[in-house]
Amino acid sequence: MRITLSTSALPTSALSARARSIGAVVVGAALVAVALTGCSTSDQTAAAGGSTRSIETLYGSVDVPTSPKRIVAIGFTEATTLADLGIKPVGRTNYIPSLDAYDTFFKDIPVVEDANANPDLEKIASLKPDLIVGSEFADKADKAAFAKLSAIAPTAIFEWKPAAANWENEAAGTAEAVGRTADLDKLKADYAAKAAEIKASYQDYLSTHTVDALSGDVDNWYLDGPTSAPGRVLGDAGARLGAGAGQKDGYVQYSPEQYGILADTDLIFVSADTTDDATPVTSNAVFATTKAAKAGQVVQSAHFYSGSYQMANALLADFSKALAAHAG
């Protein structure tokens, strides 16, 4: 049995879609099925075994093993949360955020997707998981597809929101599913302490200057708002958004001619792995007229779309470094 997803509605921007389309494709593909080809899974169904406990998920109450041993993560938020907790899944989604610690951690873990980034249920079943974790948009919940996953192993699916807006809730759900809530609480406290330190250290600058976060390519760019993952992380560290402050959506798409809305922003973060990757944004003539560009206060970060506390801490580190360089 394989779940197949049409990708015709995906954004065309690789940079901006990198994490945003993951929610619709890599994370959600196992649940947003447009075609199912069948095969027998009766001999592949993983029995949870031992004691179970009930947790709340997007699909209601689900009984999961008290101490799962063989976990498959079909979402990057769930996979990276497991990594933060020191738990190696037996199978994972192909997309994992770029972080040295994750590159090493996930290197030898089988990917449970085909060449088209569609989760392969045969591969998942062959790993004999006792728990499957992932996420999905609430309005695209597919009970039939969920049932196919649940026939393999108890499946905990948590709500995904655009721009990884509720990554902390997904992390909490994953930790609860594997019985490690107390350990996640320690990671959360460490993150909060780091954010508070930055906020206190640069209080004067942050109270008088604005920050915006965006990603883009030559065709479009995307401005993050306060509910997006970068908006929330930067906000926890005291950032006041400029042009993105009033956005209700996690991100809003604009054309290159509209970079002027960033005219008065003091510090701009661009989602990019390298300076060259940021060039489609930074080389734009309109972007060059912004206050931040003129003052050389444009920085890039490869850690925008936090799906875990390690990623959030990495963005905090980028923010702290930028403030040290530009807030003087």
Side-chain angles (χ1 to χ4, degrees):
M1 173 177 56
R2 181 168 297 163
I3 294 177
T4 306
L5 174 72
S6 168
T7 59
S8 60
L10 294 180
T12 57
S13 167
L15 281 174
S16 62
R18 178 174 55 192
R20 294 172 176 123
S21 67
I22 295 305
V25 184
V26 178
V27 177
L31 302 172
V32 189
V34 291
L36 293 172
T37 58
C39 71
S40 173
T41 60
S42 60
D43 60 345
Q44 298 174 336
T45 302
S51 61
T52 63
R53 52 198 169 75
S54 181
I55 64 169
E56 289 303 312
T57 74
L58 181 61
Y59 289 85
S61 180
V62 172
D63 290 333
V64 300
T66 299
S67 300
K69 304 298 183 185
R70 298 184 61 80
I71 306 166
V72 166
I74 59 173
F76 80 88
T77 298
E78 290 70 31
T80 53
T81 295
L82 291 177
D84 286 1
L85 294 171
I87 300 172
K88 280 202 172 187
V90 296
R92 65 172 177 89
T93 180
N94 183 53
Y95 174 81
I96 298 293
S98 178
L99 199 66
D100 288 345
Y102 292 158
D103 292 344
T104 300
F105 189 88
F106 289 103
K107 182 179 179 181
D108 298 320
I109 299 176
V111 172
V112 292
E113 295 170 8
D114 60 23
N116 296 315
N118 297 315
D120 189 325
L121 299 194
E122 291 181 60
K123 291 180 180 178
I124 294 174
S126 72
L127 295 171
K128 303 184 184 304
D130 56 9
L131 177 65
I132 299 170
V133 290
S135 57
E136 178 54 288
F137 289 107
D139 62 353
K140 293 184 179 179
D142 186 326
K143 292 183 178 180
F146 172 70
K148 298 290 186 180
L149 289 168
S150 298
I152 298 173
T155 300
I157 301 298
F158 307 104
E159 183 180 3
W160 164 272
K161 291 186 178 182
N166 65 328
W167 67 270
E168 290 171 292
N169 291 340
E170 287 187 54
T174 302
E176 183 182 16
V178 298
R180 298 285 292 275
T181 296
D183 292 326
L184 190 78
D185 286 343
K186 294 177 182 178
L187 297 177
K188 183 177 181 179
D190 178 66
Y191 160 77
K194 286 181 169 66
E197 182 179 0
I198 294 171
K199 187 175 183 178
S201 298
Y202 297 98
Q203 182 177 4
D204 291 343
Y205 177 88
L206 293 170
S207 65
T208 56
H209 293 72
T210 55
V211 180
D212 272 311
L214 62 93
S215 60
D217 56 26
V218 295
D219 298 311
N220 298 288
W221 62 281
Y222 303 80
L223 179 63
D224 286 287
T227 64
S228 69
R232 291 182 62 187
V233 172
L234 295 175
D236 286 344
R240 295 183 309 115
L241 295 187
Q247 287 184 189
K248 294 182 180 180
D249 294 330
Y251 66 93
V252 174
Q253 178 179 315
Y254 292 98
S255 66
E257 295 77 17
Q258 295 175 292
Y259 278 120
I261 68 172
L262 300 169
D264 296 324
T265 300
D266 295 294
L267 179 63
I268 296 177
F269 263 74
V270 178
S271 177
D273 292 338
T274 66
T275 301
D276 287 343
D277 289 337
T279 300
V281 173
T282 57
S283 64
N284 179 273
V286 181
F287 183 85
T289 67
T290 63
K291 179 180 179 180
K294 289 179 178 179
Q297 304 230 13
V298 177
V299 295
Q300 74 254 0
S301 172
H303 309 118
F304 258 38
Y305 301 105
S306 305
S308 64
Y309 284 104
Q310 280 198 71
M311 281 294 289
N313 285 337
L315 179 54
L316 287 179
D318 289 344
F319 188 39
S320 180
K321 181 178 179 180
L323 289 173
H326 299 287

